[in-house]
């Protein structure tokens, strides 16, 4: 059945073409497997809570009849502003409009939140631009630049809210910088979510072509219910496609964790167990809550324009397993720098088991892609990441995160990163093991080598399943680097971070290359420790070997502008004589790579890499392979072109491709 929705209908109808519903949620109450909900252009100020899910063979589809024409928003317009002082205006809002969730009394806070707890989930918007929250009326009036912002002048426009308990009202002050709010489009965020089932298990839903914006979503750490502006809420088989998703206070799309009242922000509320232990608990308790391949995950998130969210564009813990995230444009995430904590990135996933990220364009985010814990079977392929680094003028937020294109943390692999353009000043933060990098251009440092895991032990799983196989601390190593191009694009001087609250100074390397593994063994050196010819092994005598660094493989890479090679690599180019230029340039019809790197590779050729060459990640004993267990052969490049018998390093099959369009303009760009 086709159900029709039109915000401009004369009155509430019955969902027929002649008498459409005025609200999408009316359709969501009656839609059953096989139904399609066609939504006419218009603004829908509502929370859509699907009552039913579809089935694998009969999806429920919500479709905007005009691409991005149907707008689902968590905001409400406010016109009755009165001038308070200078450019500051004031309005009063009855708290009854918020129901049981008031964004102006709800703080962004919880497990793994490191910044000061002084920001609320609400927001004031002027012509679709978010104002910054002031912590006092005086600060709102003063309108000083917020030093951590990536857009400092915009940070002068501020808002501040307080409660009038006697009248049960929220009083909002806003400094509009000279604009008259009675004549402009001013909105306040009212609803926590825009499109998410309130109950779990509503699977096989497609959401296509909507503009979804301005939610008061809450902080979403891994051992808590993971809120979001839109998401499947612990179900299977959703498709979110061709949407523009923006303006979430925290997460735009959540494919994350189930709600477990006994393990929800446990550290923040009780302090008795470490937040890391609560993550281990969440993994194991997940089995009880239905964390199985047959019940959860396998979502597709494609061709969306996701931007200006302050925690993450896409986040998830466990609920995103076996998913495909492809062809999305993710940008300008956490640029206001009002929020700080360990869950911030363009895409932040825990337990991205057999998740594929491909052909995404990710830029101007605090981090690009962050794979935390169990990145087992994760593949990051054919993406372009750039400008995921703090501007030099912006002050480091106390409690804020460091910046990089990709962060893989405390997992045991196999994690595959291939055919990508990594153009920021840190390409990979690698506090983990079991990573393979193949045919990438790498312009930034590889940081946190052998660091950042502490005494944590994390799970690994049965291959291509969620069932836990074991837990282990980190030996580091078990990494492979084949056929990459390393370019020292930025300064090689260490990045120095100073704490606001202590005298502690920490440094992070910015030297590009594989030299970080100079003291790690080759496979032959590593395996020789175990005396395999001895039929009666000395268990205690092998203890040191069992806890030593794992081996590293490195071959076919090239290094320019001072990038440094692993001292044990035998087949490579290290060119310090020629200067390589490389940049990504935005033009009217898309983004182009401009580089002369292929002028200096000459006749250097490398081997064809496949799953047999990469072998098995050590701890889970799982091969670097496709989610269905078939082998990968790296004979297709970044643009999908075939690699023939003459193979060059980097993401392109031939040098002439480097000047082609890397990412094209489309409806959502």
């Amino acid at each position: 059945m086709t159900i029709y929705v039109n915000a401009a209908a004369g009155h509430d109808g019955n969902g027929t073409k002649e008498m459409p519903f005025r609200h999408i949620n009316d359709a969501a109450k009656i839609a059953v497997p096989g139904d399609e909900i066609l939504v006419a252009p218009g603004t829908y100020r509502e929370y859509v809570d699907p009552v039913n899910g579809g089935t694998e063979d009969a999806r429920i589809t919500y479709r905007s009849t005009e691409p991005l024409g149907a707008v689902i928003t968590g905001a409400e317009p406010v016109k009755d502003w009165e001038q308070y002082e200078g450019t500051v205006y004031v309005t009063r809002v009855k708290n009854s409009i918020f129901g049981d969730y008031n964004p102006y009394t709800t703080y962004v806070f919880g497990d793994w939140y490191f910044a000061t707890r002084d920001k609320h989930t609400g927001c004031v918007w002027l012509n679709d631009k978010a104002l910054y929250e002031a912590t006092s009326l005086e600060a709102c009036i003063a309108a000083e630049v917020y030093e951590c912002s990536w857009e400092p002048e915009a940070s002068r426009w501020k808002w501040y809210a307080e409660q009038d308990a006697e009248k049960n009202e929220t009083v909002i002050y806003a400094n509009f910088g000279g604009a008259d709010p009675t004549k402009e489009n001013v909105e306040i965020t009212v609803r926590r979510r825009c499109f998410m089932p309130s109950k779990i298990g509503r699977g096989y839903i497609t959401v296509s072509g909507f503009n979804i914006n301005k939610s008061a979503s809450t902080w979403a750490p891994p051992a808590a219910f993971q809120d979001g502006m839109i998401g499947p809420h612990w179900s299977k088989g959703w498709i979110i496609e061709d949407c523009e998703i923006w303006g979430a206070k925290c997460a735009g799309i959540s494919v994350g964790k189930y709600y477990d009242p006994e393990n929800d922000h446990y550290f923040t509320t009780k302090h008795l167990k470490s937040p890391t232990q609560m993550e281990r608990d969440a993994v194991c308790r997940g089995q009880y809550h239905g964390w199985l391949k047959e019940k959860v995950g396998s979502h597709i998130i494609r061709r969306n324009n996701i931007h200006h969210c302050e925690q993450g564009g896409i986040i998830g813990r466990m609920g995103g397993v076996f998913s495909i995230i492809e062809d999305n444009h993710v940008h300008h995430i956490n640029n206001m720098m009002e929020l700080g904590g360990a869950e911030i990135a363009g895409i932040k996933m825990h337990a991205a088991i057999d998740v594929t990220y491909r052909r995404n364009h990710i830029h101007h985010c605090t981090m690009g892609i962050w794979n935390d814990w169990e990145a087992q079977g994760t593949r990051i392929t054919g993406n372009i990441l750039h400008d995921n680094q703090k501007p030099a003028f912006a002050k480091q937020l106390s409690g804020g995160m460091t910046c990089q294109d990709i962060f893989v943390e405390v997992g045991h692999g196999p994690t595959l990163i291939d055919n990508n353009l990594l153009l920021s000043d840190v390409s990979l933060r690698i506090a983990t093991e079991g990573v393979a990098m193949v045919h990438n251009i790498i312009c930034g440092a590889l940081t946190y080598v052998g660091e950042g895991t502490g005494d944590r032990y994390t799970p690994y799983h049965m291959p291509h399943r969620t069932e836990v196989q074991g837990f282990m601390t980190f030996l580091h190593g078990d990494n492979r680097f084949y056929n990459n191009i390393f370019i020292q694009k930025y300064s090689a001087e260490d990045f120095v971070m100073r704490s606001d609250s202590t005298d502690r100074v920490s440094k992070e390397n910015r030297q590009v290359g594989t030299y970080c593994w100079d003291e790690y063994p080759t496979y032959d050196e590593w395996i020789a420790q175990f005396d395999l010819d001895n039929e009666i092994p000395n268990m205690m005598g092998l203890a040191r070997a069992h806890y030593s660094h794992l081996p590293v493989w490195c071959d076919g890479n090239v290094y320019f502008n001072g990038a440094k090679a692993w001292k044990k690599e035998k087949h490579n180019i290290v060119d310090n004589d020629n200067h390589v230029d490389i940049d990504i340039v935005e033009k009217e019809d898309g983004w182009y790579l401009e580089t002369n790197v292929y002028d200096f590779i000459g006749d250097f050729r490398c081997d064809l890499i496949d799953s047999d060459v990469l072998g098995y990640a050590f701890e889970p004993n799982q091969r670097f392979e496709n989610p269905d267990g078939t082998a990968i052969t790296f004979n297709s490049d970044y643009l999908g072109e075939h690699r023939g018998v003459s193979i060059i390093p980097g993401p392109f099959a031939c040098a002439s491709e480097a000047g082609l369009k890397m990412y094209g303009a489309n409806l959502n760009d």
Side-chain angles (χ1 to χ4, degrees), residues 283 291 293 298 317-318 320-323 349-357 371 373-379 459-468 622 627:
V283 172
W291 191 37
K293 188 173 187 177
S298 297
R317 208 281 182 255
M318 299 163 65
V321 289
F322 314 112
S323 294
M349 298 281 282
H350 286 74
I353 297 172
D354 281 1
V355 171
T356 299
Y357 310 87
N371 279 315
W373 292 52
E374 307 122 294
Q376 184 169 329
T378 304
R379 186 176 183 187
Y460 50 95
H461 300 261
M462 301 299 294
H464 311 298
R465 300 287 305 180
T466 58
E467 291 88 343
V468 173
Q622 180 177 327

Side-chain angles (χ1 to χ4, degrees), residues 24-47:
I24 303 170
N25 200 49
D26 289 337
K29 292 175 181 177
I30 68 168
V32 295
D35 285 351
E36 182 178 41
I37 297 92
L38 297 180
V39 184
T43 299
Y44 299 83
R45 299 185 186 276
E46 58 177 305
Y47 162 47

Side-chain angles (χ1 to χ4, degrees), residues 329 584-592 594 661-669:
H329 188 190
I584 187 75
V585 178
E586 184 179 12
K587 300 182 181 180
E588 187 173 340
D589 64 336
W591 297 75
Y592 289 78
E594 295 183 353
K661 184 162 59 177
M662 299 293 106
Y663 188 86
N666 59 40
L667 276 174
N668 289 336
D669 285 351

Side-chain angles (χ1 to χ4, degrees), residues 76-277:
E76 293 286 345
V78 177
K79 284 294 184 183
D80 54 343
W81 293 90
E82 295 181 359
Q83 190 171 16
Y84 177 78
E85 179 181 322
T87 58
V88 176
Y89 288 72
V90 63
T91 191
R92 288 175 168 267
V93 179
K94 292 292 184 181
N95 286 338
S96 58
I97 193 174
F98 303 123
D100 61 358
Y101 177 81
N102 187 338
Y104 302 92
T105 60
T106 305
Y107 284 105
V108 178
F109 195 63
D111 291 358
W112 300 102
Y113 190 81
F114 300 147
T116 303
R117 192 190 75 158
D118 60 4
K119 299 297 184 289
H120 293 88
T121 59
C123 191
V124 177
W125 302 82
L126 174 64
N127 298 325
D128 290 337
K129 185 77 172 177
L131 275 62
Y132 286 67
E133 183 175 2
T135 56
S136 67
L137 179 56
E138 291 74 20
C140 184
I141 295 169
E144 295 180 351
V145 167
Y146 175 49
E147 294 179 321
C148 298
S149 172
W150 290 19
E151 194 178 359
E153 283 306 309
S155 71
R156 294 183 183 276
W157 294 14
K158 301 180 187 294
W159 65 272
Y160 170 73
E162 58 188 21
Q163 295 298 305
D164 185 334
E166 183 176 337
K167 295 183 178 180
N168 194 27
E169 292 177 339
T170 296
V171 185
I172 301 176
Y173 302 86
N175 192 327
F176 295 106
D180 184 346
T182 64
K183 297 178 181 178
E184 305 291 341
N185 177 29
V186 178
E187 298 171 289
I188 63 169
T189 311
V190 170
R191 283 170 289 281
R192 180 173 174 174
R193 308 181 195 109
C194 292
F195 199 118
M196 177 183 282
S198 59
K199 296 183 178 179
I200 66 173
R202 275 48 179 173
Y204 298 105
I205 288 176
T206 296
V207 182
S208 182
F210 290 86
N211 182 328
I212 302 172
N213 64 64
K214 304 188 187 82
S215 76
S217 53
T218 58
W219 182 248
F225 167 65
Q226 288 197 309
D227 202 2
M229 187 156 58
I230 176 175
H233 192 182
W234 202 245
S235 64
K236 185 174 181 179
W238 274 47
I239 299 174
I240 301 173
E241 63 182 12
D242 300 313
C243 294
E244 183 173 8
I245 296 168
W246 62 279
K249 188 55 176 265
C250 290
I253 299 174
S254 170
V255 290
K257 183 182 165 289
Y258 58 92
Y259 175 65
D260 182 348
E262 296 180 21
N263 187 13
D264 194 69
H265 294 287
Y266 181 100
F267 171 76
T268 298
T269 56
K270 298 185 178 179
H271 320 309
L272 301 178
K273 293 184 181 180
S274 77
T276 301
Q277 181 60 29

Side-chain angles (χ1 to χ4, degrees), residues 254-488:
S254 170
V255 290
K257 183 182 165 289
Y258 58 92
Y259 175 65
D260 182 348
E262 296 180 21
N263 187 13
D264 194 69
H265 294 287
Y266 181 100
F267 171 76
T268 298
T269 56
K270 298 185 178 179
H271 320 309
L272 301 178
K273 293 184 181 180
S274 77
T276 301
Q277 181 60 29
M278 300 321 299
E279 290 193 47
R280 283 186 282 270
D281 285 0
V283 172
C284 296
R285 293 171 69 91
Q287 311 286 276
Y288 172 79
H289 287 273
W291 191 37
L292 295 169
K293 188 173 187 177
E294 291 75 19
K295 293 184 178 182
V296 176
S298 297
H299 307 300
I300 298 173
I301 301 172
R302 62 190 177 198
R303 301 189 302 270
N304 300 290
N305 182 16
I306 306 168
H307 59 96
H308 292 93
C309 301
E310 288 307 306
Q311 177 184 338
I314 303 171
I315 62 100
R317 208 281 182 255
M318 299 163 65
V321 289
F322 314 112
S323 294
I324 296 173
I325 300 172
E326 62 183 3
D327 299 307
N328 299 286
H329 188 190
V330 183
H331 56 103
H332 295 92
I333 303 297
N334 192 226
N335 287 185
M336 295 176 75
M337 277 290 160
E338 291 192 310
L339 310 184
E343 309 307 318
I344 287 175
I347 304 174
K348 173 67 192 286
M349 298 281 282
H350 286 74
I353 297 172
D354 281 1
V355 171
T356 299
Y357 310 87
R358 62 190 179 205
R359 301 187 303 271
N360 300 287
H361 181 197
I362 304 174
H363 60 96
H364 292 92
C365 302
T366 300
M367 296 188 197
I369 299 172
W370 186 353
N371 279 315
D372 205 346
W373 292 52
E374 307 122 294
Q376 184 169 329
T378 304
R379 186 176 183 187
I380 302 171
T381 180
N383 304 278
I384 178 170
L385 296 100
H386 62 92
D387 292 293
N388 298 306
Q389 58 204 62
K390 182 178 70 67
F393 58 76
K395 181 181 177 182
Q396 179 74 24
L397 172 66
S398 179
M401 294 290 96
T402 58
C403 299
Q404 48 264 316
D405 282 333
I406 300 172
F407 186 7
V408 184
E409 185 180 12
V410 292
H412 302 287
T415 304
L416 177 57
I417 303 170
D418 68 280
N419 287 307
N420 301 284
L421 304 173
L422 307 177
L423 307 180
S424 301
D425 65 351
V426 175
S427 292
L428 175 64
R429 190 175 187 177
I430 184 168
T432 193
E433 59 194 20
V435 173
M437 300 190 79
V438 183
H439 279 294
N440 302 283
I441 285 180
I442 299 169
C443 291
L446 309 178
T447 66
Y448 262 59
V449 173
E451 301 179 71
T453 60
D455 59 353
R456 284 188 283 181
Y457 58 99
T458 62
Y460 50 95
H461 300 261
M462 301 299 294
H464 311 298
R465 300 287 305 180
T466 58
E467 291 88 343
V468 173
Q469 182 182 171
F471 286 79
M472 185 56 184
T473 53
F474 292 89
L475 307 179
H476 297 286
D478 195 24
N479 300 311
R480 297 123 173 101
F481 303 91
Y482 289 105
N483 302 355
N484 301 286
I485 298 174
F486 291 90
I487 303 169
Q488 186 78 53

